[in-house]
Structures are given as structure tokens and as C-alpha cells.
Amino acid sequence: MLFIDVSISPAWISMETQLSSYGVLTPIPLFMLMFFMVYVFGYSRVFHNWDPKLRIEASSCFMSLAHGTPAILLSTYALISSPHQAPNDYASPNTPLQNLVLEYSLAYFLMDLFHYLLFIPSEVLYIVHHVATLYVLVTCRYMVQHGAFPILVVLIVAEMTSPCQNVWTITGFRRSDVAEAAKLYESMSPGFYTYYSVVRGIAAPLFTYKLGVFFVKGRGGGLIPPWAWISWMVAISGGIFVSWLWVLNLWIALYTERKGKQQKEK
């Protein structure tokens, strides 16, 4: 029942209070269990006849799909349902619903981090990304208890590309042996790269710059200590930079591949 009614309702907003009355201090274990069940469902049902290695990676993408869109919807509602927070007050106290959304994403990144540590420890970049993301979420939720507003905006921007990226990745796993997957992968690639470039290359840097100006000019009134906002800015900026490199390599690979096909046709 805890995971069915995610609509705009007082029951969802007061979830932490209800859990506390039963002696549960945080819903994170419950969220982690939910994501684990999604992962297992993907592994045992959706991708049950896939190659073992691809099966594991596809199950991670499946779990990411279960996190991305709900995270956008929940984050958006958590932001617009805070009437006492000014749109540019990035140092305001976290609301209960904002904290709940932070915990929801914490649970996902913990589960996916376990996935990489257990099955694909060579993916150092993803592991570092998840550790940095968890650091921001944990410090915002439990240590600073302010600044959830901009962190959720960053989460929304980051997850905007998630559904498309996961579908593109899953089809890419089978493009070498399934003709339909290859066709979908090839048709999706230019549009996905463009969309990703706009979101991660323009929208994300613009908001990060705006957030940096807010903190540097001291508009937070000292509510978020320097060690926190500086480390947040480093983590967010680092993530954006890595995104640039990733999509740039994809564009280069696409250009090289198409140029090679043109030369073969000649």
C-alpha cells in the first residue's frame, strides 16, 4: 500500500510520520525493497532469456526506469506544493515531502550502487557518480536539512533524460542479434544525443551557474554552510562535465560510423 498511492494526497505527505509511529525511522529500507523487487522482476521475467551479463545490465536499466519518471513527478510536486518557499530561495528548510523524495532517490542510488559493486566493479565512473550523488542527497537530507529545493531541481533535470537513455541502452544491448533492436537503436540515437546535449549541455549548466551565483553572493544567509554548498557545486559540476564527455564521445562515434558507411557505399 505504501507504494501504490503516490498521488497528491495528505497520506503520502505524512508517510514519514506514520512510519515513525510504528517505530520505523526512515522509509529508505522500504524503498530499497521496492527497487530490489523491480530489479528481480526485470532479471527473472522481462530479460529472463537474455545473455547473463546483458541480463544484469538490462535489469539495472529497468530499475532506473522505475526511478526516473516517478522521481520527476514527485520532485515537481514537492517543489510546487511548498507555497512558503520563494522560487529563488535555494537555502530554505526542507519540507517533509521534499525529504521523502530525497529518501526515495537515496534508496535507488544505493541499490544501483550495490549492483555495480557486486556485478560490474570495473565501471568506476558510474560508481564514482553514484557515490557523489549519494553524498549530496545524504548531506542535504540529514546533515544540512536545507537546500532540497535546488537539489530536487537538479534531480529533475538529470532524470529528464533517463527514460529515453534507458530505452536506448536496452535496445543497444541487443542490436547485434535482433534486427528490430538495431533499427530502433539507430533511429533513436541522433534524437537522443540531441535531447541529451540540450538538457545536460545547456539547461543543467545554466541552473548550476544560477545556483553558484546564489551561494557565492551569500544569499543563503548562512543556512547552508560553505563546506556543504561548495562540495555540492563540485559534485554537480563534475557530473555535468562527465555528461559532456560522454555525449561528445557518442556524437564522435555516430559521425565516424556514418562516415564509414558512406565510404563503403562509394
Side-chain angles (χ1 to χ4, degrees):
M1 294 297 293
L2 291 174
F3 312 110
I4 296 175
D5 186 10
V6 191
S7 58
I8 301 174
S9 69
W12 174 259
I13 298 174
S14 62
M15 180 178 176
E16 283 192 281
T17 304
Q18 295 173 7
L19 288 171
S20 298
S21 66
Y22 291 104
V24 180
L25 298 178
T26 172
I28 290 179
L30 298 176
F31 287 141
M32 290 181 69
L33 177 61
M34 181 190 73
F35 285 119
F36 176 73
M37 292 172 65
V38 171
Y39 185 95
V40 170
F41 180 77
Y43 185 85
S44 61
R45 297 292 181 182
V46 181
F47 311 109
H48 66 94
N49 59 348
W50 284 34
D51 174 86
K53 185 178 184 300
L54 296 180
R55 192 177 173 190
I56 289 172
E57 295 188 47
S59 299
S60 173
C61 291
F62 191 66
M63 184 171 63
S64 178
L65 281 169
H67 167 258
T69 301
I72 293 174
L73 297 176
L74 290 171
S75 297
T76 301
Y77 177 61
L79 297 180
I80 64 177
S81 65
S82 306
H84 301 297
Q85 289 183 323
N88 295 321
D89 185 6
Y90 298 145
S92 56
N94 302 349
T95 67
L97 181 55
Q98 289 171 355
N99 282 335
L100 193 63
V101 179
L102 292 174
E103 290 171 330
Y104 178 79
S105 289
L106 261 168
Y108 161 72
F109 282 106
L110 277 172
M111 287 303 303
D112 208 39
L113 177 61
F114 292 154
H115 156 80
Y116 279 106
L117 292 175
L118 288 172
F119 301 115
I120 324 176
S122 59
E123 292 283 2
V124 178
L125 196 60
Y126 280 97
I127 292 172
V128 171
H129 169 269
H130 282 24
V131 170
T133 302
L134 285 167
Y135 167 80
V136 173
L137 295 174
V138 168
T139 52
C140 178
R141 168 63 182 92
Y142 296 105
M143 300 178 68
V144 180
Q145 297 182 4
H146 289 71
F149 194 100
I151 298 303
L152 291 183
V153 172
V154 171
L155 180 65
I156 291 171
V157 173
E159 294 299 334
M160 282 174 63
T161 57
S162 179
C164 188
Q165 181 176 346
N166 282 298
V167 173
W168 172 83
T169 302
I170 291 172
T171 56
F173 288 148
R174 302 300 303 270
R175 70 183 187 275
S176 61
D177 59 329
V178 179
E180 291 79 4
K183 184 180 295 185
L184 179 59
Y185 179 86
E186 291 176 5
S187 63
M188 280 187 68
S189 292
F192 167 59
Y193 299 170
T194 302
Y195 177 57
Y196 191 95
S197 299
V198 171
V199 174
R200 300 294 184 96
I202 299 176
L206 284 175
F207 181 76
T208 303
Y209 172 77
K210 187 177 180 181
L211 182 60
V213 170
F214 174 86
F215 285 127
V216 169
K217 291 189 175 182
R219 294 175 182 170
L223 294 173
I224 300 178
W227 67 264
W229 68 259
I230 291 174
S231 61
W232 292 355
M233 292 301 300
V234 170
I236 295 169
S237 300
I240 292 173
F241 180 70
V242 171
S243 296
W244 287 353
L245 293 180
W246 185 74
V247 76
L248 177 61
N249 286 330
L250 291 177
W251 278 117
I252 293 172
L254 180 64
Y255 173 78
T256 303
E257 181 183 348
R258 294 197 169 183
K259 188 175 182 181
K261 287 182 178 179
Q262 290 176 353
Q263 290 177 346
K264 286 182 179 180
E265 291 174 356
K266 292 179 181 179

PDB file of all heavy atoms in Angstrom, residues 31-60:
ATOM      1  N   PHE A  31      11.783   1.572   0.437  1.00  0.00           N
ATOM      2  CA  PHE A  31      12.040   1.969  -0.944  1.00  0.00           C
ATOM      3  C   PHE A  31      13.076   1.045  -1.594  1.00  0.00           C
ATOM      4  O   PHE A  31      12.951   0.667  -2.761  1.00  0.00           O
ATOM      5  CB  PHE A  31      12.515   3.417  -1.012  1.00  0.00           C
ATOM      6  CG  PHE A  31      11.444   4.442  -0.749  1.00  0.00           C
ATOM      7  CD1 PHE A  31      11.725   5.589  -0.008  1.00  0.00           C
ATOM      8  CD2 PHE A  31      10.158   4.272  -1.232  1.00  0.00           C
ATOM      9  CE1 PHE A  31      10.744   6.532   0.243  1.00  0.00           C
ATOM     10  CE2 PHE A  31       9.172   5.217  -0.996  1.00  0.00           C
ATOM     11  CZ  PHE A  31       9.467   6.351  -0.253  1.00  0.00           C
ATOM     12  N   MET A  32      14.114   0.697  -0.827  1.00  0.00           N
ATOM     13  CA  MET A  32      15.149  -0.199  -1.352  1.00  0.00           C
ATOM     14  C   MET A  32      14.552  -1.564  -1.688  1.00  0.00           C
ATOM     15  O   MET A  32      14.908  -2.170  -2.711  1.00  0.00           O
ATOM     16  CB  MET A  32      16.288  -0.343  -0.345  1.00  0.00           C
ATOM     17  CG  MET A  32      17.126   0.909  -0.181  1.00  0.00           C
ATOM     18  SD  MET A  32      18.492   0.711   0.987  1.00  0.00           S
ATOM     19  CE  MET A  32      19.557  -0.413   0.077  1.00  0.00           C
ATOM     20  N   LEU A  33      13.664  -2.033  -0.835  1.00  0.00           N
ATOM     21  CA  LEU A  33      12.994  -3.309  -1.102  1.00  0.00           C
ATOM     22  C   LEU A  33      12.179  -3.222  -2.385  1.00  0.00           C
ATOM     23  O   LEU A  33      12.169  -4.162  -3.197  1.00  0.00           O
ATOM     24  CB  LEU A  33      12.106  -3.689   0.079  1.00  0.00           C
ATOM     25  CG  LEU A  33      11.272  -4.975  -0.088  1.00  0.00           C
ATOM     26  CD1 LEU A  33      12.182  -6.178  -0.290  1.00  0.00           C
ATOM     27  CD2 LEU A  33      10.360  -5.167   1.126  1.00  0.00           C
ATOM     28  N   MET A  34      11.502  -2.100  -2.587  1.00  0.00           N
ATOM     29  CA  MET A  34      10.715  -1.908  -3.803  1.00  0.00           C
ATOM     30  C   MET A  34      11.604  -1.969  -5.038  1.00  0.00           C
ATOM     31  O   MET A  34      11.295  -2.664  -6.018  1.00  0.00           O
ATOM     32  CB  MET A  34       9.977  -0.574  -3.751  1.00  0.00           C
ATOM     33  CG  MET A  34       9.099  -0.303  -4.966  1.00  0.00           C
ATOM     34  SD  MET A  34       8.472   1.384  -5.028  1.00  0.00           S
ATOM     35  CE  MET A  34       9.953   2.283  -5.476  1.00  0.00           C
ATOM     36  N   PHE A  35      12.735  -1.241  -5.000  1.00  0.00           N
ATOM     37  CA  PHE A  35      13.639  -1.245  -6.148  1.00  0.00           C
ATOM     38  C   PHE A  35      14.273  -2.619  -6.352  1.00  0.00           C
ATOM     39  O   PHE A  35      14.505  -3.042  -7.495  1.00  0.00           O
ATOM     40  CB  PHE A  35      14.715  -0.172  -5.975  1.00  0.00           C
ATOM     41  CG  PHE A  35      14.214   1.230  -6.208  1.00  0.00           C
ATOM     42  CD1 PHE A  35      14.266   2.173  -5.196  1.00  0.00           C
ATOM     43  CD2 PHE A  35      13.663   1.600  -7.425  1.00  0.00           C
ATOM     44  CE1 PHE A  35      13.791   3.461  -5.402  1.00  0.00           C
ATOM     45  CE2 PHE A  35      13.190   2.887  -7.644  1.00  0.00           C
ATOM     46  CZ  PHE A  35      13.257   3.815  -6.626  1.00  0.00           C
ATOM     47  N   PHE A  36      14.546  -3.322  -5.273  1.00  0.00           N
ATOM     48  CA  PHE A  36      15.089  -4.679  -5.377  1.00  0.00           C
ATOM     49  C   PHE A  36      14.090  -5.594  -6.076  1.00  0.00           C
ATOM     50  O   PHE A  36      14.458  -6.407  -6.934  1.00  0.00           O
ATOM     51  CB  PHE A  36      15.425  -5.217  -3.986  1.00  0.00           C
ATOM     52  CG  PHE A  36      15.890  -6.645  -3.996  1.00  0.00           C
ATOM     53  CD1 PHE A  36      17.149  -6.969  -4.476  1.00  0.00           C
ATOM     54  CD2 PHE A  36      15.065  -7.665  -3.528  1.00  0.00           C
ATOM     55  CE1 PHE A  36      17.591  -8.293  -4.494  1.00  0.00           C
ATOM     56  CE2 PHE A  36      15.492  -8.983  -3.540  1.00  0.00           C
ATOM     57  CZ  PHE A  36      16.758  -9.298  -4.032  1.00  0.00           C
ATOM     58  N   MET A  37      12.820  -5.453  -5.728  1.00  0.00           N
ATOM     59  CA  MET A  37      11.777  -6.273  -6.357  1.00  0.00           C
ATOM     60  C   MET A  37      11.651  -5.944  -7.847  1.00  0.00           C
ATOM     61  O   MET A  37      11.442  -6.839  -8.673  1.00  0.00           O
ATOM     62  CB  MET A  37      10.445  -6.058  -5.637  1.00  0.00           C
ATOM     63  CG  MET A  37      10.415  -6.610  -4.219  1.00  0.00           C
ATOM     64  SD  MET A  37       8.923  -6.148  -3.294  1.00  0.00           S
ATOM     65  CE  MET A  37       7.664  -6.993  -4.247  1.00  0.00           C
ATOM     66  N   VAL A  38      11.775  -4.675  -8.188  1.00  0.00           N
ATOM     67  CA  VAL A  38      11.749  -4.282  -9.600  1.00  0.00           C
ATOM     68  C   VAL A  38      12.932  -4.911 -10.336  1.00  0.00           C
ATOM     69  O   VAL A  38      12.788  -5.436 -11.455  1.00  0.00           O
ATOM     70  CB  VAL A  38      11.782  -2.746  -9.739  1.00  0.00           C
ATOM     71  CG1 VAL A  38      11.984  -2.336 -11.195  1.00  0.00           C
ATOM     72  CG2 VAL A  38      10.507  -2.127  -9.195  1.00  0.00           C
ATOM     73  N   TYR A  39      14.097  -4.854  -9.709  1.00  0.00           N
ATOM     74  CA  TYR A  39      15.311  -5.432 -10.296  1.00  0.00           C
ATOM     75  C   TYR A  39      15.141  -6.936 -10.530  1.00  0.00           C
ATOM     76  O   TYR A  39      15.439  -7.458 -11.606  1.00  0.00           O
ATOM     77  CB  TYR A  39      16.494  -5.161  -9.369  1.00  0.00           C
ATOM     78  CG  TYR A  39      17.841  -5.603  -9.911  1.00  0.00           C
ATOM     79  CD1 TYR A  39      18.662  -4.704 -10.582  1.00  0.00           C
ATOM     80  CD2 TYR A  39      18.293  -6.904  -9.733  1.00  0.00           C
ATOM     81  CE1 TYR A  39      19.902  -5.098 -11.068  1.00  0.00           C
ATOM     82  CE2 TYR A  39      19.524  -7.305 -10.228  1.00  0.00           C
ATOM     83  CZ  TYR A  39      20.321  -6.404 -10.879  1.00  0.00           C
ATOM     84  OH  TYR A  39      21.545  -6.796 -11.378  1.00  0.00           O
ATOM     85  N   VAL A  40      14.642  -7.626  -9.507  1.00  0.00           N
ATOM     86  CA  VAL A  40      14.446  -9.072  -9.603  1.00  0.00           C
ATOM     87  C   VAL A  40      13.402  -9.409 -10.664  1.00  0.00           C
ATOM     88  O   VAL A  40      13.561 -10.375 -11.426  1.00  0.00           O
ATOM     89  CB  VAL A  40      14.031  -9.659  -8.238  1.00  0.00           C
ATOM     90  CG1 VAL A  40      13.596 -11.119  -8.378  1.00  0.00           C
ATOM     91  CG2 VAL A  40      15.168  -9.543  -7.250  1.00  0.00           C
ATOM     92  N   PHE A  41      12.337  -8.613 -10.742  1.00  0.00           N
ATOM     93  CA  PHE A  41      11.310  -8.838 -11.757  1.00  0.00           C
ATOM     94  C   PHE A  41      11.901  -8.689 -13.152  1.00  0.00           C
ATOM     95  O   PHE A  41      11.625  -9.506 -14.046  1.00  0.00           O
ATOM     96  CB  PHE A  41      10.149  -7.864 -11.567  1.00  0.00           C
ATOM     97  CG  PHE A  41       9.048  -8.028 -12.573  1.00  0.00           C
ATOM     98  CD1 PHE A  41       8.143  -9.075 -12.461  1.00  0.00           C
ATOM     99  CD2 PHE A  41       8.922  -7.150 -13.639  1.00  0.00           C
ATOM    100  CE1 PHE A  41       7.129  -9.237 -13.405  1.00  0.00           C
ATOM    101  CE2 PHE A  41       7.918  -7.307 -14.583  1.00  0.00           C
ATOM    102  CZ  PHE A  41       7.013  -8.359 -14.458  1.00  0.00           C
ATOM    103  N   GLY A  42      12.713  -7.665 -13.345  1.00  0.00           N
ATOM    104  CA  GLY A  42      13.356  -7.479 -14.640  1.00  0.00           C
ATOM    105  C   GLY A  42      14.282  -8.633 -14.982  1.00  0.00           C
ATOM    106  O   GLY A  42      14.282  -9.137 -16.111  1.00  0.00           O
ATOM    107  N   TYR A  43      15.045  -9.074 -13.985  1.00  0.00           N
ATOM    108  CA  TYR A  43      16.010 -10.153 -14.202  1.00  0.00           C
ATOM    109  C   TYR A  43      15.330 -11.492 -14.452  1.00  0.00           C
ATOM    110  O   TYR A  43      15.734 -12.253 -15.329  1.00  0.00           O
ATOM    111  CB  TYR A  43      16.931 -10.259 -12.981  1.00  0.00           C
ATOM    112  CG  TYR A  43      18.052 -11.255 -13.139  1.00  0.00           C
ATOM    113  CD1 TYR A  43      19.255 -10.881 -13.759  1.00  0.00           C
ATOM    114  CD2 TYR A  43      17.923 -12.566 -12.688  1.00  0.00           C
ATOM    115  CE1 TYR A  43      20.291 -11.796 -13.915  1.00  0.00           C
ATOM    116  CE2 TYR A  43      18.949 -13.482 -12.844  1.00  0.00           C
ATOM    117  CZ  TYR A  43      20.127 -13.096 -13.449  1.00  0.00           C
ATOM    118  OH  TYR A  43      21.152 -14.007 -13.612  1.00  0.00           O
ATOM    119  N   SER A  44      14.291 -11.793 -13.681  1.00  0.00           N
ATOM    120  CA  SER A  44      13.671 -13.119 -13.735  1.00  0.00           C
ATOM    121  C   SER A  44      12.553 -13.239 -14.765  1.00  0.00           C
ATOM    122  O   SER A  44      12.231 -14.351 -15.199  1.00  0.00           O
ATOM    123  CB  SER A  44      13.120 -13.498 -12.353  1.00  0.00           C
ATOM    124  OG  SER A  44      12.121 -12.575 -11.939  1.00  0.00           O
ATOM    125  N   ARG A  45      11.965 -12.105 -15.163  1.00  0.00           N
ATOM    126  CA  ARG A  45      10.822 -12.151 -16.075  1.00  0.00           C
ATOM    127  C   ARG A  45      11.075 -11.423 -17.396  1.00  0.00           C
ATOM    128  O   ARG A  45      10.989 -12.008 -18.468  1.00  0.00           O
ATOM    129  CB  ARG A  45       9.590 -11.546 -15.391  1.00  0.00           C
ATOM    130  CG  ARG A  45       9.132 -12.303 -14.164  1.00  0.00           C
ATOM    131  CD  ARG A  45       8.593 -13.667 -14.526  1.00  0.00           C
ATOM    132  NE  ARG A  45       8.120 -14.388 -13.349  1.00  0.00           N
ATOM    133  CZ  ARG A  45       7.627 -15.628 -13.394  1.00  0.00           C
ATOM    134  NH1 ARG A  45       7.550 -16.260 -14.546  1.00  0.00           N
ATOM    135  NH2 ARG A  45       7.237 -16.227 -12.279  1.00  0.00           N
ATOM    136  N   VAL A  46      11.364 -10.140 -17.299  1.00  0.00           N
ATOM    137  CA  VAL A  46      11.460  -9.324 -18.517  1.00  0.00           C
ATOM    138  C   VAL A  46      12.635  -9.746 -19.390  1.00  0.00           C
ATOM    139  O   VAL A  46      12.514  -9.863 -20.619  1.00  0.00           O
ATOM    140  CB  VAL A  46      11.581  -7.826 -18.152  1.00  0.00           C
ATOM    141  CG1 VAL A  46      11.649  -6.977 -19.426  1.00  0.00           C
ATOM    142  CG2 VAL A  46      10.404  -7.387 -17.289  1.00  0.00           C
ATOM    143  N   PHE A  47      13.790 -10.001 -18.770  1.00  0.00           N
ATOM    144  CA  PHE A  47      15.001 -10.338 -19.530  1.00  0.00           C
ATOM    145  C   PHE A  47      15.472 -11.768 -19.240  1.00  0.00           C
ATOM    146  O   PHE A  47      16.667 -12.047 -19.302  1.00  0.00           O
ATOM    147  CB  PHE A  47      16.113  -9.339 -19.197  1.00  0.00           C
ATOM    148  CG  PHE A  47      15.700  -7.894 -19.276  1.00  0.00           C
ATOM    149  CD1 PHE A  47      15.554  -7.123 -18.123  1.00  0.00           C
ATOM    150  CD2 PHE A  47      15.435  -7.301 -20.499  1.00  0.00           C
ATOM    151  CE1 PHE A  47      15.163  -5.788 -18.196  1.00  0.00           C
ATOM    152  CE2 PHE A  47      15.033  -5.969 -20.581  1.00  0.00           C
ATOM    153  CZ  PHE A  47      14.899  -5.217 -19.424  1.00  0.00           C
ATOM    154  N   HIS A  48      14.549 -12.665 -18.935  1.00  0.00           N
ATOM    155  CA  HIS A  48      14.913 -13.995 -18.454  1.00  0.00           C
ATOM    156  C   HIS A  48      15.672 -14.837 -19.483  1.00  0.00           C
ATOM    157  O   HIS A  48      16.440 -15.729 -19.119  1.00  0.00           O
ATOM    158  CB  HIS A  48      13.662 -14.754 -17.994  1.00  0.00           C
ATOM    159  CG  HIS A  48      12.712 -15.069 -19.108  1.00  0.00           C
ATOM    160  ND1 HIS A  48      12.729 -16.256 -19.791  1.00  0.00           N
ATOM    161  CD2 HIS A  48      11.717 -14.330 -19.667  1.00  0.00           C
ATOM    162  CE1 HIS A  48      11.790 -16.250 -20.721  1.00  0.00           C
ATOM    163  NE2 HIS A  48      11.150 -15.096 -20.669  1.00  0.00           N
ATOM    164  N   ASN A  49      15.496 -14.561 -20.774  1.00  0.00           N
ATOM    165  CA  ASN A  49      16.169 -15.366 -21.792  1.00  0.00           C
ATOM    166  C   ASN A  49      17.363 -14.653 -22.423  1.00  0.00           C
ATOM    167  O   ASN A  49      17.842 -15.037 -23.483  1.00  0.00           O
ATOM    168  CB  ASN A  49      15.170 -15.782 -22.877  1.00  0.00           C
ATOM    169  CG  ASN A  49      14.530 -14.580 -23.566  1.00  0.00           C
ATOM    170  OD1 ASN A  49      14.659 -13.453 -23.094  1.00  0.00           O
ATOM    171  ND2 ASN A  49      13.846 -14.831 -24.676  1.00  0.00           N
ATOM    172  N   TRP A  50      17.838 -13.600 -21.778  1.00  0.00           N
ATOM    173  CA  TRP A  50      18.980 -12.852 -22.293  1.00  0.00           C
ATOM    174  C   TRP A  50      20.292 -13.484 -21.834  1.00  0.00           C
ATOM    175  O   TRP A  50      20.326 -14.272 -20.892  1.00  0.00           O
ATOM    176  CB  TRP A  50      18.922 -11.399 -21.819  1.00  0.00           C
ATOM    177  CG  TRP A  50      17.924 -10.543 -22.539  1.00  0.00           C
ATOM    178  CD1 TRP A  50      16.712 -10.926 -23.033  1.00  0.00           C
ATOM    179  CD2 TRP A  50      18.052  -9.151 -22.828  1.00  0.00           C
ATOM    180  NE1 TRP A  50      16.076  -9.860 -23.608  1.00  0.00           N
ATOM    181  CE2 TRP A  50      16.865  -8.754 -23.499  1.00  0.00           C
ATOM    182  CE3 TRP A  50      19.023  -8.204 -22.578  1.00  0.00           C
ATOM    183  CZ2 TRP A  50      16.656  -7.447 -23.927  1.00  0.00           C
ATOM    184  CZ3 TRP A  50      18.821  -6.890 -22.998  1.00  0.00           C
ATOM    185  CH2 TRP A  50      17.652  -6.522 -23.672  1.00  0.00           C
ATOM    186  N   ASP A  51      21.373 -13.085 -22.485  1.00  0.00           N
ATOM    187  CA  ASP A  51      22.717 -13.454 -22.035  1.00  0.00           C
ATOM    188  C   ASP A  51      22.910 -12.962 -20.595  1.00  0.00           C
ATOM    189  O   ASP A  51      22.485 -11.850 -20.257  1.00  0.00           O
ATOM    190  CB  ASP A  51      23.759 -12.794 -22.951  1.00  0.00           C
ATOM    191  CG  ASP A  51      25.175 -12.994 -22.477  1.00  0.00           C
ATOM    192  OD1 ASP A  51      25.768 -14.028 -22.812  1.00  0.00           O
ATOM    193  OD2 ASP A  51      25.679 -12.105 -21.759  1.00  0.00           O
ATOM    194  N   PRO A  52      23.525 -13.775 -19.715  1.00  0.00           N
ATOM    195  CA  PRO A  52      23.639 -13.425 -18.287  1.00  0.00           C
ATOM    196  C   PRO A  52      24.194 -12.023 -18.021  1.00  0.00           C
ATOM    197  O   PRO A  52      23.665 -11.298 -17.179  1.00  0.00           O
ATOM    198  CB  PRO A  52      24.580 -14.501 -17.743  1.00  0.00           C
ATOM    199  CG  PRO A  52      24.321 -15.675 -18.621  1.00  0.00           C
ATOM    200  CD  PRO A  52      24.076 -15.114 -19.987  1.00  0.00           C
ATOM    201  N   LYS A  53      25.254 -11.628 -18.723  1.00  0.00           N
ATOM    202  CA  LYS A  53      25.851 -10.305 -18.478  1.00  0.00           C
ATOM    203  C   LYS A  53      24.891  -9.195 -18.901  1.00  0.00           C
ATOM    204  O   LYS A  53      24.687  -8.220 -18.165  1.00  0.00           O
ATOM    205  CB  LYS A  53      27.174 -10.171 -19.226  1.00  0.00           C
ATOM    206  CG  LYS A  53      27.909  -8.856 -18.908  1.00  0.00           C
ATOM    207  CD  LYS A  53      29.227  -8.782 -19.638  1.00  0.00           C
ATOM    208  CE  LYS A  53      30.000  -7.517 -19.255  1.00  0.00           C
ATOM    209  NZ  LYS A  53      29.282  -6.286 -19.563  1.00  0.00           N
ATOM    210  N   LEU A  54      24.297  -9.345 -20.085  1.00  0.00           N
ATOM    211  CA  LEU A  54      23.349  -8.340 -20.559  1.00  0.00           C
ATOM    212  C   LEU A  54      22.103  -8.315 -19.693  1.00  0.00           C
ATOM    213  O   LEU A  54      21.503  -7.259 -19.483  1.00  0.00           O
ATOM    214  CB  LEU A  54      22.968  -8.617 -22.016  1.00  0.00           C
ATOM    215  CG  LEU A  54      24.090  -8.521 -23.053  1.00  0.00           C
ATOM    216  CD1 LEU A  54      23.553  -8.828 -24.433  1.00  0.00           C
ATOM    217  CD2 LEU A  54      24.737  -7.143 -23.019  1.00  0.00           C
ATOM    218  N   ARG A  55      21.743  -9.471 -19.186  1.00  0.00           N
ATOM    219  CA  ARG A  55      20.570  -9.582 -18.316  1.00  0.00           C
ATOM    220  C   ARG A  55      20.738  -8.739 -17.063  1.00  0.00           C
ATOM    221  O   ARG A  55      19.810  -8.042 -16.630  1.00  0.00           O
ATOM    222  CB  ARG A  55      20.394 -11.059 -17.960  1.00  0.00           C
ATOM    223  CG  ARG A  55      19.086 -11.432 -17.314  1.00  0.00           C
ATOM    224  CD  ARG A  55      19.100 -12.944 -17.130  1.00  0.00           C
ATOM    225  NE  ARG A  55      17.961 -13.426 -16.374  1.00  0.00           N
ATOM    226  CZ  ARG A  55      17.857 -14.668 -15.927  1.00  0.00           C
ATOM    227  NH1 ARG A  55      18.816 -15.539 -16.180  1.00  0.00           N
ATOM    228  NH2 ARG A  55      16.795 -15.037 -15.235  1.00  0.00           N
ATOM    229  N   ILE A  56      21.923  -8.772 -16.500  1.00  0.00           N
ATOM    230  CA  ILE A  56      22.214  -7.993 -15.289  1.00  0.00           C
ATOM    231  C   ILE A  56      22.155  -6.500 -15.585  1.00  0.00           C
ATOM    232  O   ILE A  56      21.536  -5.721 -14.851  1.00  0.00           O
ATOM    233  CB  ILE A  56      23.601  -8.386 -14.726  1.00  0.00           C
ATOM    234  CG1 ILE A  56      23.544  -9.787 -14.129  1.00  0.00           C
ATOM    235  CG2 ILE A  56      24.058  -7.379 -13.684  1.00  0.00           C
ATOM    236  CD1 ILE A  56      24.898 -10.326 -13.715  1.00  0.00           C
ATOM    237  N   GLU A  57      22.789  -6.092 -16.679  1.00  0.00           N
ATOM    238  CA  GLU A  57      22.831  -4.669 -17.012  1.00  0.00           C
ATOM    239  C   GLU A  57      21.449  -4.143 -17.406  1.00  0.00           C
ATOM    240  O   GLU A  57      21.083  -3.017 -17.059  1.00  0.00           O
ATOM    241  CB  GLU A  57      23.839  -4.434 -18.135  1.00  0.00           C
ATOM    242  CG  GLU A  57      25.277  -4.747 -17.735  1.00  0.00           C
ATOM    243  CD  GLU A  57      26.264  -4.329 -18.798  1.00  0.00           C
ATOM    244  OE1 GLU A  57      26.152  -3.196 -19.307  1.00  0.00           O
ATOM    245  OE2 GLU A  57      27.158  -5.124 -19.119  1.00  0.00           O
ATOM    246  N   ALA A  58      20.688  -4.962 -18.126  1.00  0.00           N
ATOM    247  CA  ALA A  58      19.343  -4.547 -18.516  1.00  0.00           C
ATOM    248  C   ALA A  58      18.436  -4.415 -17.299  1.00  0.00           C
ATOM    249  O   ALA A  58      17.568  -3.534 -17.255  1.00  0.00           O
ATOM    250  CB  ALA A  58      18.759  -5.552 -19.510  1.00  0.00           C
ATOM    251  N   SER A  59      18.630  -5.267 -16.301  1.00  0.00           N
ATOM    252  CA  SER A  59      17.832  -5.193 -15.072  1.00  0.00           C
ATOM    253  C   SER A  59      18.121  -3.895 -14.325  1.00  0.00           C
ATOM    254  O   SER A  59      17.219  -3.308 -13.711  1.00  0.00           O
ATOM    255  CB  SER A  59      18.130  -6.395 -14.172  1.00  0.00           C
ATOM    256  OG  SER A  59      17.788  -7.596 -14.826  1.00  0.00           O
ATOM    257  N   SER A  60      19.360  -3.436 -14.379  1.00  0.00           N
ATOM    258  CA  SER A  60      19.714  -2.144 -13.776  1.00  0.00           C
ATOM    259  C   SER A  60      18.986  -1.006 -14.501  1.00  0.00           C
ATOM    260  O   SER A  60      18.476  -0.079 -13.866  1.00  0.00           O
ATOM    261  CB  SER A  60      21.228  -1.929 -13.837  1.00  0.00           C
ATOM    262  OG  SER A  60      21.576  -0.628 -13.417  1.00  0.00           O
TER     263      SER A  60
END
